[in-house]
């Protein structure tokens, strides 16, 4: 976060502070004094600025989704990018904090659209609803001022996510590098047959878990990557070069 950034929004709730800063070129969402939760370019909010969000989109190599569920909104940069660049995708987003939703809409150009439905509620409660199902890709990016929500490591959470995902669908988890020594890969292998990871230079560890083995050849994967980059307008190569199989 740049020292010259000017605070333009601040609100407190039971979980802490929600701040928005502006450094002239970017809008920054922060949950603390030295925290940069999300950021967007003011001139193009679809040009993802964080390496981990670009890495998360590598799931679109293996699945061409029609329905996407995201747990954790942040500034909504991932969702805004998907909405603007992939008009055939319908999204549902679950966010616990009303102040985060307000900030995303007021300062980060989160679209108001029938193709992007927001649920203001706890992700655990949402996952427990029996009518929720049929997701092609589930992105889980649950973070607060203290870091990653440990629920993302919970077996019940992983099982419920697996239940929601279609037979050829994918789960994408944004974790920290410190979680590489956890039981998460073994846990995921209980419900998923494909498992990949990407380590980012910022310390994120992004996991991709697929229910069905990929039938794509190397040439098809590279072709799909090239097509995605053209549609997105930015490179996914840094993350792709670090993509590793864990099974």
């Amino acid at each position: 976060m740049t020292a010259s950034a000017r605070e333009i929004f601040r609100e407190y709730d039971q979980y802490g502070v929600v701040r928005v800063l502006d450094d002239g070129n970017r809008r920054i969402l922060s949950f603390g004094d030295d925290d940069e939760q999300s950021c967007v370019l003011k001139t193009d909010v679809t040009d993802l600025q964080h390496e981990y969000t670009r890495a998360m989109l590598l799931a679109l190599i293996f699945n061409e989704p029609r329905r996407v569920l995201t747990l954790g909104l942040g500034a909504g940069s991932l969702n805004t990018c998907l909405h603007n660049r992939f008009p055939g995708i319908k999204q549902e987003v679950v966010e616990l904090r009303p102040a985060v939703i307000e900030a995303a809409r007021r300062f980060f150009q989160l679209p108001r659209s029938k193709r992007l439905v927001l649920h203001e509620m706890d992700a655990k409660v949402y996952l427990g609803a029996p009518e929720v199902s049929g997701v092609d890709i589930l992105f889980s990016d649950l973070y607060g001022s203290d870091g990653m929500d440990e629920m993302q490591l919970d077996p019940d959470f992983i099982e419920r996510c697996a239940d929601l995902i279609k037979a050829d669908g994918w789960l994408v988890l944004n974790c920290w590098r410190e979680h590489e020594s956890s039981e998460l890969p073994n846990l995921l292998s209980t419900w998923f047959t494909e498992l990949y990871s990407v380590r980012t230079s910022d310390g994120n560890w992004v996991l991709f878990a697929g229910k069905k083995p990929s039938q794509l050849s190397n040439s098809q994967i590279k072709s799909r990557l090239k097509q995605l980059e053209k549609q997105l307008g930015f490179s996914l190569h840094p993350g792709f070069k670090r993509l590793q199989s864990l099974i």
Side-chain angles (χ1 to χ4, degrees), residues 169-224:
W170 286 76
L171 171 65
V172 183
L173 291 169
N174 178 34
C175 303
W176 285 115
R177 291 278 293 273
E178 65 191 60
H179 298 117
E180 288 187 82
S181 59
S182 72
E183 289 298 311
L184 191 52
N186 290 335
L187 181 61
L188 288 166
S189 66
T190 304
W191 293 281
F192 298 91
T193 60
E194 292 278 278
L195 187 58
Y196 299 92
S197 72
V198 170
R199 298 178 181 136
T200 74
S201 58
D202 293 330
N204 296 81
W205 186 46
V206 182
L207 289 159
F208 307 84
K211 279 193 167 182
K212 183 183 293 187
S214 173
Q215 302 299 316
L216 297 174
S217 65
N218 287 336
S219 62
Q220 287 174 319
I221 288 173
K222 290 178 180 178
S223 175
R224 180 68 182 146

Side-chain angles (χ1 to χ4, degrees), residues 22-65:
D22 190 310
D23 69 2
N25 296 315
R26 302 182 306 153
R27 288 273 171 84
I28 301 157
L29 179 71
S30 173
F31 292 160
D33 290 334
D34 299 311
D35 165 70
E36 182 173 305
Q37 190 72 21
S38 308
C39 74
V40 300
L41 277 181
K42 291 164 67 175
T43 54
D44 184 1
V45 294
T46 67
D47 188 353
L48 296 181
Q49 297 299 291
H50 283 174
E51 185 181 354
Y52 80 89
T53 51
R54 292 191 177 196
M56 290 173 80
L57 287 180
L58 291 171
L60 274 69
I61 291 175
F62 305 105
N63 186 292
E64 297 182 56

Side-chain angles (χ1 to χ4, degrees), residues 133-150:
S133 63
V135 176
D136 296 301
I137 297 179
L138 194 161
F139 294 106
S140 186
D141 190 16
L142 296 171
Y143 279 75
S145 59
D146 297 327
M148 191 193 83
D149 189 326
E150 294 295 311

Side-chain angles (χ1 to χ4, degrees), residues 62-69 88-92 127 131-139 158-172 191-194 209-214:
F62 305 105
N63 186 292
E64 297 182 56
R66 296 188 62 83
R67 187 179 177 204
V68 167
L69 171 63
I89 292 179
K90 292 183 179 179
Q91 299 184 72
E92 294 191 53
L127 291 176
E131 66 272 14
V132 179
S133 63
V135 176
D136 296 301
I137 297 179
L138 194 161
F139 294 106
I158 299 298
E159 181 177 12
R160 182 54 181 152
C161 287
D163 288 342
L164 299 186
I165 297 169
K166 291 181 180 179
D168 59 349
W170 286 76
L171 171 65
V172 183
W191 293 281
F192 298 91
T193 60
E194 292 278 278
K211 279 193 167 182
K212 183 183 293 187
S214 173

